[in-house]
Amino acid sequence: MKKLVTTLFVFAAVFILSGCGSTETSKGKSSASLPTEKEVPLSDKQTTDSSKKLTVRTFDSTDSSSWAASFQVISSDKGNILIDPGKYDDELSNYVKTIGGVDAILITHGHWDKLRGLDDAIKANPDAKVYVHELDYPYFKDTKRNCSAEQGVEGTTNAKATTLVEGNYEISGYQIKVIHTPGHTEGSVLYHFPEENILIGGDTIMADKVAGSQHPGGNEAERKASITKFKKLSFPKDMRIYSGHGASTTYSELLQTNHDLQ
């Protein structure tokens, strides 16, 4: 009788355990199907794969009333920055729409070929903040200093700007070093983006030369001092340099082609 009870108890236990196992399987909770802690959700993978890479696109701002010039738009997942908008035409407008608008507008110096499209740029991007060195902010309203009078245009801009001095700033998500290089104008600056390894040279640093001091607000002694200052700076050889006139270059190439830096 004792053996019979033991046998029946073992049989019942096997039956119960077998039933629990079949229940787990039917609910799809087998250990093989459970995600591990290292797995990344699909939504996170999509975000990583679709992150916006750094793009610097150059536009031509030349027209019949202005010197031949160019300007840039910097775009990445940090933000979008417009540099020296010499015009705001359909080409630029359409491109800015594809990147979701402009967060900030940087002015390298106050000449009219850098300011002519500023009012239109702000109208199209009302939340964008404008930045310029404090010494060139008056150029916005001074037709002699901004050289529009020289071109027969008498141009001014109603833009309100945040003024800068030399130093480090965070603008539109970017870490930017503002380097004051007077000579071409009193408030000419370079914008260095160390994390992106790019430099915006404006008219101060171009592939072949450093812009002259012959216009109102220019000063040859300051220009020479700015050249000396730049020659003492050090940048990565492959840093890309974009200017307001001419093609982009690298720092190593610049030292070979810019005759003012020899």
Side-chain angles (χ1 to χ4, degrees):
M1 182 66 181
K2 185 176 182 180
K3 289 183 178 181
L4 179 61
V5 171
T6 300
T7 300
L8 289 174
F9 177 78
V10 171
F11 178 78
V14 171
F15 178 79
I16 291 172
L17 289 175
S18 176
C20 291
S22 63
T23 301
E24 289 291 304
T25 302
S26 67
K27 291 182 180 180
K29 295 183 180 179
S30 66
S31 60
S33 66
L34 292 175
T36 65
E37 292 182 358
K38 293 182 179 181
E39 285 186 342
V40 180
L42 181 60
S43 59
D44 289 347
K45 291 180 181 178
Q46 290 172 337
T47 301
T48 301
D49 293 342
S50 63
S51 61
K52 186 165 54 176
K53 296 180 180 179
L54 176 70
T55 300
V56 182
R57 180 165 170 175
T58 297
F59 293 83
D60 180 21
S61 65
T62 305
D63 76 354
S64 58
S65 66
S66 180
W67 299 306
S70 56
F71 62 95
Q72 292 79 36
V73 176
I74 299 173
S75 177
S76 77
D77 54 4
K78 291 182 179 180
N80 305 320
I81 297 180
L82 173 61
I83 314 288
D84 290 341
K87 66 166 63 170
Y88 203 86
D89 57 5
D90 290 341
E91 180 187 14
L92 175 59
S93 175
N94 292 335
Y95 177 71
V96 168
K97 289 176 182 176
T98 67
I99 62 174
V102 167
D103 310 307
I105 301 173
L106 303 184
I107 305 298
T108 62
H109 64 288
H111 282 162
W112 190 239
D113 61 332
K114 313 304 176 188
L115 302 175
R116 192 180 60 226
L118 183 54
D119 285 346
D120 289 337
I122 295 171
K123 184 178 180 180
N125 303 273
D127 294 328
K129 293 185 178 180
V130 180
Y131 298 86
V132 67
H133 191 277
E134 62 181 8
L135 295 179
D136 271 20
Y137 192 19
Y139 285 50
F140 283 23
K141 296 291 187 182
D142 190 329
T143 62
K144 183 179 180 181
R145 285 186 178 273
N146 70 29
C147 293
S148 61
E150 180 180 325
Q151 301 170 53
V153 179
E154 299 287 335
T156 62
T157 170
N158 295 317
K160 304 298 182 183
T162 297
T163 57
L164 305 169
V165 295
E166 180 164 299
N168 298 312
Y169 294 84
E170 181 175 349
I171 299 174
S172 187
Y174 295 90
Q175 299 301 317
I176 302 175
K177 182 177 180 64
V178 177
I179 305 170
H180 185 207
T181 52
H184 186 52
T185 67
E186 295 142 303
S188 290
V189 296
L190 311 176
Y191 293 108
H192 181 214
F193 294 69
E195 294 178 359
E196 286 67 37
N197 200 28
I198 60 177
L199 179 77
I200 302 299
D203 288 8
T204 300
I205 299 298
M206 297 180 282
D208 59 341
K209 63 182 178 181
V210 173
S213 58
Q214 70 272 27
H215 301 293
N219 182 292
E220 185 60 21
E222 290 184 343
R223 176 181 176 273
K224 290 180 178 178
S226 291
I227 291 172
T228 300
K229 178 179 182 176
F230 185 82
K231 290 169 70 172
K232 291 180 179 180
L233 299 175
S234 180
F235 301 98
K237 291 182 179 180
D238 63 345
M239 181 184 70
R240 179 62 58 178
I241 300 171
Y242 300 87
S243 72
H245 302 275
S248 66
T249 187
T250 64
Y251 179 59
S252 60
E253 292 170 344
L254 176 79
L255 298 179
Q256 301 300 317
T257 61
N258 187 305
H259 60 79
D260 288 313
L261 298 177
Q262 301 306 311

